[in-house]
Amino acid sequence: MQIHPRAIIDHAALRHNLACVRRRAPDSRIWAVVKANGYGHGMVEMGTTLETADGLAVARVEEGVRLREAGITKPILVMEGFLFDDELAAARAHGFELALHRPEQVALLEQTRTTRPLRIWIKVDTGMHRLGFDPQQVPNLLARLSADPQVAGPVGLMTHLAKADDPHDRLTQLQCDRLRALDPAAHYPLSIGNSAGILACPASRTPWVRPGIMLYGASPLIGRTAAELRLRPVMRLATRLIAVRALRRGDAVGYGSTYVCPQDMLVGVAAIGYGDGYPRHAPIGTPVLVGGRRAPLIGRISMDMINIDLRGLPTARVGDPVTLWGADLPVDEIAQWAGTISYELLCRVTSRVRMEHREMHPMPHGGKRL
Ligand SMILES: *Cc1c(COP(=O)(O)O)cnc(C)c1O
């Protein structure tokens, strides 16, 4: 029997969630976002199953290179663009589409003369104030880049939403209006919607959208569960009980003795901890599933183990499966307990956790599973 923590990755759920994006934004083309190792699910495996997306989006050139090396031939958008000319050269060699967000990138692009024109997206800062050009700079840039033989096809305009997780916040509509105002005649491809925008803000359903978290089956919206949004979790993080102990009233459990048994009680120990990516900040009371039934954590999270209050589960046995998140235990709920967001929990599952891919289509010819 396998006691290693495992992340079971449900590719049927991934395809279902992609279909949800299509239903919500039927007129949009989809950049499926697979950055950060596919939000922790395996970038190449996600990219392979997302073959019916129109393209894949990553943050960095290096991530795109890994997709190409695995045999993926779809369009790839690099959302942070490039920093130095070696990255620009790699982007050209692999035919990536690049988002440009500062003047030095434009200058570098114009300096290097090659026979391989690139597709370019101008990243516009419409209110997030992280990356991007000011809207006033855009008309000039559009003219410059559109005339540049280094640039293939129409230049795209993209922006990123800062507060779309809150459907009542007016900034989202304002950001959409600011981007759309730059292209009143609809000459250029626009890209706004992230998952939250796609679900809650129609103005962000531009000709290209960039969903990430919803593909993996977590909710991007405050106060809405993934189940309400008809999304299915792609990852189940699971392990097993490796001990069941009968402790006495007054016994303190784990590092720091933070939990003291209020009565004689059964306590389970499961083989997973922060060394596997389970959040160390998950407090006493955070739920897990033991054999499919809820039980609360007690004590501190260790590197390799967690303690579980088994008072409600007197028949629990060593070897029983323990689910940390997945169907019936939304990762969003665990994130809330741990004071973070699903994105972080999913991304930081460590390489010590074995990834098991279920219902995966064959890899592209020559592709190797990473
Ligand atoms: C990560 C990212 C996305 C996807 O966001 P989700 O909230 O996961 O849907 C879209 N666009 C950009 C620029 C990103 O960095």
Side-chain angles (χ1 to χ4, degrees):
M1 188 186 284
Q2 150 98 274
I3 64 154
H4 303 281
R6 302 176 298 156
I8 299 114
I9 308 295
D10 178 354
H11 287 245
L14 181 68
R15 287 190 291 271
H16 165 91
N17 297 334
L18 179 63
C20 283
V21 177
R22 286 257 181 247
R23 257 201 318 281
R24 297 284 187 150
D27 301 323
S28 301
R29 283 191 274 176
I30 299 173
W31 288 118
V33 181
V34 296
K35 63 190 179 187
N37 194 29
Y39 288 48
H41 296 68
M43 182 170 64
V44 170
E45 288 85 351
M46 296 295 99
T48 304
T49 289
L50 291 165
E51 64 202 345
T52 59
D54 300 280
L56 301 175
V58 292
R60 302 181 187 150
V61 169
E62 196 241 338
E63 293 175 316
V65 171
R66 277 190 48 211
L67 291 170
R68 285 280 185 265
E69 284 173 356
I72 290 174
T73 55
K74 305 183 79 60
I76 291 175
L77 169 66
V78 179
M79 295 186 293
E80 281 176 16
F82 62 94
L83 188 55
F84 296 116
D85 51 4
D86 54 342
E87 276 183 323
L88 176 56
R92 269 189 220 286
H94 292 293
F96 298 156
E97 307 197 15
L98 288 177
L100 304 187
H101 55 83
R102 42 185 199 105
E104 295 81 355
Q105 291 173 319
V106 179
L108 204 56
L109 185 77
E110 287 172 338
Q111 277 163 27
T112 35
R113 295 279 143 217
T114 74
T115 53
R116 293 193 72 165
L118 281 171
R119 285 192 177 270
I120 295 296
W121 293 79
I122 299 175
K123 186 146 187 178
V124 186
D125 180 3
T126 57
M128 178 148 177
H129 301 129
R130 190 175 60 181
L131 292 182
F133 290 96
D134 283 341
Q136 312 88 276
Q137 298 174 285
V138 169
N140 213 333
L141 271 171
L142 273 176
R144 234 170 100 184
L145 287 166
S146 300
D148 188 337
Q150 306 277 326
V151 175
V155 176
L157 296 175
M158 65 181 273
T159 197
H160 196 40
L161 300 172
K163 294 173 82 178
D165 56 330
D166 178 358
H168 302 295
D169 198 288
R170 287 177 43 240
L171 180 62
T172 305
Q173 183 66 43
L174 198 63
Q175 285 192 270
C176 294
D177 294 345
R178 285 178 182 149
L179 193 77
R180 287 170 179 275
L182 293 171
D183 182 30
H187 279 318
Y188 302 99
L190 300 189
S191 176
I192 304 179
N194 56 1
S195 298
I198 290 163
L199 290 166
C201 176
S204 78
R205 295 175 197 142
T206 37
W208 285 87
V209 290
R210 306 184 311 274
I213 195 73
M214 71 182 289
L215 294 173
Y216 306 101
S219 171
L221 298 176
I222 295 167
R224 299 291 302 280
T225 65
E228 284 167 358
L229 298 167
R230 306 231 179 289
L231 301 172
R232 281 167 48 189
V234 175
M235 182 191 293
R236 181 163 81 88
L237 184 64
T239 187
R240 292 189 187 271
L241 283 184
I242 57 166
V244 175
R245 318 258 330 271
L247 299 185
R248 293 211 189 77
R249 178 167 177 233
D251 286 347
V253 178
Y255 286 119
S257 304
T258 56
Y259 180 85
V260 178
C261 295
Q263 61 189 104
D264 294 356
M265 61 190 274
L266 279 186
V267 171
V269 180
I272 194 159
Y274 63 81
D276 303 292
Y278 191 80
R280 186 174 172 279
H281 289 104
I284 291 169
T286 303
V288 301
L289 301 178
V290 179
R293 296 173 59 201
R294 282 185 180 232
L297 291 183
I298 54 176
R300 282 205 188 134
I301 308 301
S302 315
M303 189 183 287
D304 319 300
M305 283 172 268
I306 57 174
N307 304 291
I308 303 167
D309 175 351
L310 293 178
R311 277 177 292 180
L313 302 173
T315 58
R317 292 283 173 273
V318 168
D320 281 357
V322 175
T323 298
L324 293 313
W325 57 70
D328 303 324
L329 189 58
V331 65
D332 293 306
E333 188 179 335
I334 305 306
Q336 206 162 15
W337 276 94
T340 182
I341 53 176
S342 61
Y343 299 70
E344 188 189 9
L345 294 188
L346 295 171
C347 279
R348 74 177 188 189
V349 170
T350 70
S351 57
R352 191 160 75 148
V353 173
R354 188 171 303 188
M355 306 289 276
E356 291 182 7
H357 291 274
R358 300 272 166 85
E359 280 199 56
M360 191 178 154
H361 283 319
M363 304 287 286
H365 181 69
K368 61 177 189 290
R369 223 167 265 190
L370 300 181

